[in-house]
Every structure is written in structure tokens, then in C-alpha cells.
Amino acid sequence: MTQPLHHWLAAAVANDGVDLKLSGVLETIAAACAELAGVLRLAPIAGQTGLAGHTNVQGEAQKELDVISNDIFIKHLRKNADISILVSEELDEALHLENHGAFAVACDPLDGSSNLDVNVTVGSIFSILAVDPGSPDLLQPGTKQLAAGYAAYGPSTSLVLTFGTAVVCFTLDENGQFVLSQDNITVPAASGEFAINTARERFWDEATKAYVSQNVAGETGPAGKRYNMRWIGSMVADIHRILMRGGIFLYPLDSETTDKGGRLRLLYEANPMALIMEAAGGGATTGHGRILEVQPKAIHQRIPVIVGSKDEVERVNALYSHQG
Ligand code: AHG
Ligand code: MN
Ligand code: MN
């Protein structure tokens, strides 16, 4: 029997001690993702796939849909009095909504937006934190996340959620409702697939070079088995594939990203994905420790991200401890 998100959340509140208001925050985010799925589906007809002509605080060119997605999130989050703050990739500063709610949402409203022009899967990523609205602390380590998830806008729209224990996946149905499609998702411990932008090889550190060259050597190298490489360039799409069938995603610190601290953002890209991967039995490391234990220093802080199947993440960690 199909189970709508609303019923699933009601059961989590009744049976698993999930806060009713937190479940409401997730419903609000789900409503934003459902609206965004509809907008993305028709964007090429509406002529919305181009550049917006602005750059965001990270110096990246904003697509028109980056801006539209951000506006959709703001519109929905404003309606929920329990959400007092939004941190978004597309906003320079944290946005204080006009209420005194005890929750903050950090989000990447549209991840992988360079793939929009070519109709390849993009996503939204989000993390929920508890805050004191009087003196909100947004710089909390990922272990403090109350819940996290992402929507993947692909052939179907998936909504993956975790409270930090189990991972579940909902699919958007023909009525615009998210319906449970997978329960208790676990990422296979072993895998033969890795995801990294190999065009950056000349910038890599020794550990990354060693890991990739071992994989490329396949059954003739120390890994003792053959690997395939997949890189979509949408973190959500790459992570969703890895969550479903195993693998590893690497955006390590390299010589070109050292000044910035990495490529991907800690609060709304790395932390939510790390919470999901660990809850599914996988790993999430910077190469020098758990992503979830990193103390953020700024809302748009960047960080190296290595997440996925446990055995693969452990192999990378071992190479980093060799490198020192
Ligand atoms: P965003 O579109 O939110 O800026 O994020 C893009 C990210 C991530 O989705 C992807 O894994 C990575 O950038 C791709 O980086 P490269 O362009 O270096 O491959
Ligand atoms: Mn992103
Ligand atoms: Mn984005």
C-alpha cells in the first residue's frame, strides 16, 4: 500500500518521538520541492534555463532557475511559523523570517544547475537545525542536524529524508503528493564505482592520486577488482546513484581549492549528504576526519567531501593517514 509523506510523518511523530513541529518543517520543504519539480519540468518551454545575469556570494553565475528555486523555498518557508531562519547558497546573509520559530533551514535550492540546459538530473539539498530565535547559532556541527535530505529531479522526483537513523525515499506522484517508495535504505559497503572530476587530476593531493590510480589499475592493482567511473556534475544525482547501488563521491581539497577550503559547502551540501550516508551505513570524511564533526566558522564555508560506501571511504581514509 502506498503511504503519503504526511501519514509517514504522522506515524514517526506517534511512534518514534519525532517532534510534531519538525515534521511540519519537513512537510513545508517537501511542498517547496514539489512546486519546484513542476517548474523544472516546464522550464525549457517557459524559457527559464538561461543565466540570470547575477553572481552569488560565492562568485558563481546565477541561473534564472537558481533564483526562481530560491524564491520558491523562501515563499514556502515563510508560511511556516516554526522556521525563523533560512541559510541559502543563493543568499549572501542568513535570511531572518518574521517569526520566532525554533528551527533554521540551510539549503542549496538548486544543485547541479549547470546541467539544466541539457536536461540532466538536478536537485535541492536541505538541513534542519534547532535554534534559539533570540540568539540563533547557525554554526553547529553536522552531528546536531535534526533532519536532512534532498530532492532529485530526474525521470521521477525523489525525496530522500533522514532524522539521522534510517533513510527513506518518497516519489512524487501524479497528484503532486510524495509517496513512500523505499524504506530503510542502506548503501552497499563494497562497490566498483567511483565519482570524481578527473579533469582536476593535476591539482590532486597524493591520497586522491593514489586512490584513483588504484581503481584505474582494477584487478591488476592493489584494489584487486575492476572499477567504473561515473561523474554527473550534480552532487544530488551522483549521491543518489551511490545511495541506491553503492560507490564513492569525491570532491577533495586540491591545490586549486585550498584557499577556499574546498569546492562544496559545509552547511547545505556536505552536512546533509554526510548525515544521509552515515545513516544508510556508509561513510563521510574530509580525508582527515568525519565531516559531521567539523565546527563551521561561516555559513558559506567550503569543505572537502568524500562520501559513500563504507569500504571505499575507509580505503581513502587509510591513504590520507599514510599521506599525513
Ligand atoms: P551548484 O550547482 O549548487 O553550484 O553545485 C554544483 C556542484 C555539485 O553539484 C557538483 O558535484 C559539482 O559542483 C561539480 O563540480 P565540477 O564542475 O568541478 O565538476
Ligand atoms: Mn550545489
Ligand atoms: Mn546550487
Side-chain angles (χ1 to χ4, degrees):
M1 219 203 47
T2 55
Q3 193 180 13
L5 175 66
H6 181 72
H7 290 182
W8 184 87
L9 285 170
V13 170
N15 309 326
D16 305 329
V18 168
D19 182 343
L20 179 62
K21 291 181 172 177
L22 176 60
S23 80
V25 173
L26 285 165
E27 289 205 60
T28 296
I29 293 170
C33 295
E35 181 177 343
L36 182 48
V39 169
L40 293 172
R41 198 165 55 236
L42 300 176
I45 300 171
Q48 292 166 326
T49 50
L51 290 173
H54 311 287
T55 47
N56 64 17
V57 66
Q58 351 244 346
E60 297 158 345
Q62 279 179 318
K63 297 263 187 185
E64 190 174 346
L65 281 165
D66 282 320
V67 177
I68 292 169
S69 308
N70 192 50
D71 289 346
I72 289 174
F73 266 82
I74 293 172
K75 181 181 83 180
H76 283 270
L77 267 51
R78 266 193 207 289
K79 289 187 213 160
N80 187 327
D82 294 318
I83 306 168
S84 53
I85 299 175
L86 169 65
V87 171
S88 165
E89 179 183 302
E90 305 304 335
L91 298 171
D92 300 7
E93 308 283 344
L95 178 68
H96 291 253
L97 306 165
E98 288 127 39
N99 61 56
H100 295 91
F103 299 97
V105 173
C107 80
D108 178 354
L110 192 54
D111 173 69
S113 50
S114 65
N115 279 317
L116 284 166
D117 318 13
V118 289
N119 196 21
V120 166
T121 298
V122 293
S124 303
I125 316 172
F126 58 88
S127 163
I128 305 173
L129 296 169
V131 285
D132 171 354
S135 60
D137 175 16
L138 298 169
L139 303 180
Q140 304 178 37
T143 48
K144 301 264 190 190
Q145 293 172 100
L146 301 176
Y150 63 79
Y153 310 104
S156 61
T157 294
S158 302
L159 181 70
V160 170
L161 298 179
T162 187
F163 291 108
T165 46
V167 181
V168 290
C169 180
F170 296 81
T171 299
L172 194 62
D173 74 4
E174 68 279 20
N175 302 312
Q177 183 163 244
F178 281 107
V179 171
L180 186 66
S181 46
Q182 263 174 292
D183 220 345
N184 290 318
I185 298 166
T186 54
V187 55
S191 161
E193 281 184 352
F194 66 104
I196 189 167
N197 182 347
T198 50
R200 305 187 61 79
E201 184 170 354
R202 71 186 189 282
F203 305 124
W204 290 347
D205 55 25
E206 290 311 312
T208 306
K209 279 184 188 153
Y211 177 72
V212 172
S213 72
Q214 287 178 9
N215 289 358
V216 171
E219 61 273 43
T220 66
K225 65 177 182 185
R226 186 169 288 213
Y227 281 78
N228 254 333
M229 201 284 283
R230 295 283 181 271
W231 183 253
I232 296 173
S234 279
M235 186 195 202
V236 166
D238 280 309
I239 297 279
H240 193 64
R241 182 192 62 250
I242 291 165
L243 186 67
M244 293 297 148
R245 70 176 188 210
I248 184 170
F249 172 96
L250 305 98
Y251 218 115
L253 193 66
D254 60 34
S255 63
E256 203 183 40
T257 58
T258 301
D259 291 353
K260 292 178 174 174
R263 164 76 165 90
L264 299 169
R265 278 60 54 115
L266 176 56
L267 258 57
Y268 43 82
E269 290 178 318
N271 271 340
M273 293 311 195
L275 195 74
I276 290 165
M277 275 299 169
E278 287 201 6
T285 181
T286 63
H288 298 283
R290 262 177 99 201
I291 289 172
L292 293 177
E293 288 176 9
V294 173
Q295 172 60 52
K297 295 190 177 71
I299 58 171
H300 295 296
Q301 180 175 338
R302 297 176 189 254
I303 186 147
V305 174
I306 299 156
V307 295
S309 291
K310 205 173 178 41
D311 294 357
E312 296 303 316
V313 173
E314 275 172 13
R315 249 181 75 217
V316 176
N317 274 333
L319 289 163
Y320 269 99
S321 57
H322 256 86
Q323 178 189 277

